[in-house]
Amino acid sequence: MAHEITIGPRAAKSPFFDATVAAGATGFTIYNHMYMPTGYGDPEGEYWRLIDGVAMWDVACERQVELAGPDAGRLADTLATRDLSELKPGIGRYTCLCDHRGRLHNDPVALRVEEDLWWFSIADNDSLLFARAVAGERGLDVEVREPDVSPLAIQGPKAMVVAAALLGDWVHDLGYFHFRACEVQGIPLVVQRSGFSKQGGVELYLRDGTRGLHLWDLVAEAGRPYAIAAGTPNTIERLESGLFNFGSDNDADTNPFELALERYVDLDAEADFVGKAALRRLAGRPPARRRTGAMLDGPPLGTTSAKCPVRRGGETVGFVGGHAFSPRLQANVAVALIETTALAAGDLVAETEAGPRALEPRAFPLA
Ligand code: THG
């Protein structure tokens, strides 16, 4: 008997939902309380389309936490582990968000939309609640809310020509994480050079959820000469590239140094951001665990972002945060978070669902 998950406030539809079903979505996950497609039935084809061509992804679940008002900039700098104050409107920056003990609770792209208007394009965690609490405790004059904004990603080596066909040649001049507001056939957008792959492209932040299906069709039409098709943030490619995936690569007690995200922590920032003192203490000694790329031996493994244990001798010394068979490398790629001493000692084994596999640590990128 087939079962279904009810649509409602705990599992909302993206504005692109019906289009993704029509395009043949075969699976969904829930991310920021919203459905996100996880595949269209041809994992290998979807991978090669991202590597060699162009794909369009429903990533509406990358919800925005909007900070608006006179203290919006102050709150942005209070939440982020990097200095955002000197960003000009139209520029974004990838940053960590930590709690008071330096534990990561999100890794958004922060966009300064206007002087006093910010969006934190968040990964899968309820950081809106955290932002509201901090704004209140610090006595800041700022509204924190979730606006009607839903990203649609165009990714792959042909993504920029598709974006230019849809929007105009100006998109080629956007620097990485730079963005611009525009309209296409009256549909309000913010267009940013960004996306969760190393293959290049843009994200179209749809600013009116009632226009999702129309926008989807316009992108599909502009991409037709380049054989665009629906895809999803791709686990194989993100593992090869070493992109951090919040929730898979970390647990609730992981700090940015363990995750090799230290270049997104500025301990000399002027703002007294949440977690700064704790992160200063943590920075003074080697991290207890370390995130690493890895190869897993043996026959091809399935693609997963589910965790499995890493052992050394009889002991559990960490976890694999996702693994896949890389068609480019013809080998199994993985990401793992492993106790630093065990990582140095070697002889590591991942207890995958297909049985134990020797784990060889490797620096990112793997491909
Ligand atoms: N796009 C948008 N929002 C998002 C994501 C996105 N929110 C959730 C999630 N993804 C956030 N995570 C990431 C992780 C990595 C990157 C962006 C968002 C990324 N990293 C580049 C890298 O690692 O090479 C560049 C980072 C840098 O060095 O500045 O792009 O994908 N809208």
Side-chain angles (χ1 to χ4, degrees), residues 249 251 253-262 287-292 336-338 340:
D249 301 7
D251 59 27
D253 300 299
T254 324
N255 68 58
F257 307 120
E258 294 176 308
L259 295 169
L261 296 175
E262 52 273 346
R289 302 178 291 177
R290 191 72 176 167
R291 177 177 179 268
T292 179
L337 187 71
I338 299 174
T340 316

Side-chain angles (χ1 to χ4, degrees), residues 31 62 94 107 109 121-123 176-177 192 195-196 198 203 205 243-244 263-264:
Y31 186 110
E62 287 163 356
Y94 180 56
D107 67 321
V109 179
S121 184
I122 59 168
Y176 203 70
F177 284 141
Q192 184 178 39
F196 194 65
K198 289 279 201 181
E203 292 175 299
Y205 294 71
L243 288 173
F244 172 70
R263 72 179 178 284
Y264 310 114

Side-chain angles (χ1 to χ4, degrees), residues 141-157:
D141 183 6
V142 57
E143 280 298 326
V144 179
R145 63 192 164 223
E146 182 181 314
D148 176 10
V149 172
S150 301
L152 174 62
I154 309 175
Q155 297 285 296

Side-chain angles (χ1 to χ4, degrees), residues 232-240 245 303-305 322-324 333:
T232 70
N234 189 281
T235 300
I236 311 173
E237 194 275 346
R238 86 97 185 166
L239 289 169
E240 293 172 344
N245 190 31
T303 302
T304 184
S305 295
H323 63 65
V333 292

Side-chain angles (χ1 to χ4, degrees), residues 100-111:
H100 297 74
R101 295 202 202 164
R103 297 173 293 208
L104 187 82
H105 69 86
N106 220 305
D107 67 321
V109 179
L111 296 82

